[in-house]
Amino acid sequence: MSNTLIEKKFTQAAKLIADLMIENGLSDWTIKTNAKRSALAETYYTRKEIQFSKFFLMVADKDHVTGVALHEIAHALVGVGHGHGKVFQDKCKEISPNADYAQRSVSIVSLRRFLLTCPSCGQSGSHNSSLVRYCGKCFAKDQSKVKFEVKPNVLEVKVW
């Protein structure tokens, strides 16, 4: 994957997110990227900042970025202490009926560093560590330990 392609994607995403933030009255908030694989995005209220995982931005299409941005914007608008409760849900519906779209469509699993597959039952998963892991499903059936096969998760930049 080329750095030029990634930079272009980040620039497009930043413009889209900034426009959504301005439309929703968050012109005094900033956007940053981080290298986390454990969250698509996070809202930092005291800093007035929304951070997006650079790995998420690489693999997400425009609808996914829009959905996650609106989700985080809703958090910013309702403020601290509301989590994903009713006030937050109402705000999501107010700013966009599809604000939770990206949460269902892009999984944290797809961003992790390693993909796991059980050679016995085919169960799959992911992890950020390449340590040996065993399939709990197969262990429960016959008490044998079945190691997951581990391979690197190669992220592909999705062009808009």
Side-chain angles (χ1 to χ4, degrees):
M1 88 185 92
S2 84
N3 285 338
T4 305
L5 183 60
I6 294 170
E7 288 173 20
K8 180 179 178 183
K9 179 82 181 278
F10 287 174
T11 301
Q12 290 173 322
K15 169 130 179 48
L16 172 66
I17 296 163
D19 289 347
L20 289 169
M21 289 170 70
I22 290 166
E23 284 172 26
N24 287 283
L26 299 178
S27 56
D28 58 338
W29 282 60
T30 58
I31 306 161
K32 290 195 177 174
T33 58
N34 62 42
K36 292 183 179 181
R37 291 178 182 258
S38 57
L40 305 180
E42 297 173 310
T43 301
Y44 294 91
Y45 302 97
T46 56
R47 291 185 266 183
K48 291 188 172 188
E49 177 180 289
I50 300 175
Q51 290 187 11
F52 291 83
S53 163
K54 68 180 183 177
F55 301 107
F56 163 67
L57 293 177
M58 284 171 49
V59 302
D61 65 24
K62 189 174 182 178
D63 287 339
H64 295 142
V65 173
T66 300
V68 170
L70 289 170
H71 178 102
E72 297 304 321
I73 288 167
H75 277 300
L77 292 171
V78 300
V80 179
H82 294 287
H84 293 107
K86 181 160 176 31
V87 172
F88 168 78
Q89 291 171 25
D90 289 347
K91 183 55 75 174
C92 282
K93 289 174 189 165
E94 179 187 322
I95 64 175
S96 172
N98 296 320
D100 67 340
Y101 169 75
Q103 297 296 344
R104 294 188 315 266
S105 303
V106 173
S107 168
I108 295 297
V109 169
S110 65
L111 303 182
R112 294 201 174 123
R113 295 180 65 215
F114 300 98
L115 300 175
L116 313 174
T117 307
C118 175
S120 178
C121 71
Q123 181 176 329
S124 63
S126 66
H127 208 277
N128 281 328
S129 166
S130 62
L131 293 174
V132 173
R133 303 205 183 285
Y134 297 92
C135 178
K137 185 176 176 183
C138 290
F139 181 80
K141 280 184 181 177
D142 63 13
Q143 303 299 305
S144 67
K145 290 186 175 182
V146 179
K147 287 183 187 177
F148 277 109
E149 292 174 350
V150 180
K151 66 179 184 177
N153 185 10
V154 180
L155 301 178
E156 294 183 28
V157 178
K158 188 173 279 190
V159 181
W160 293 357

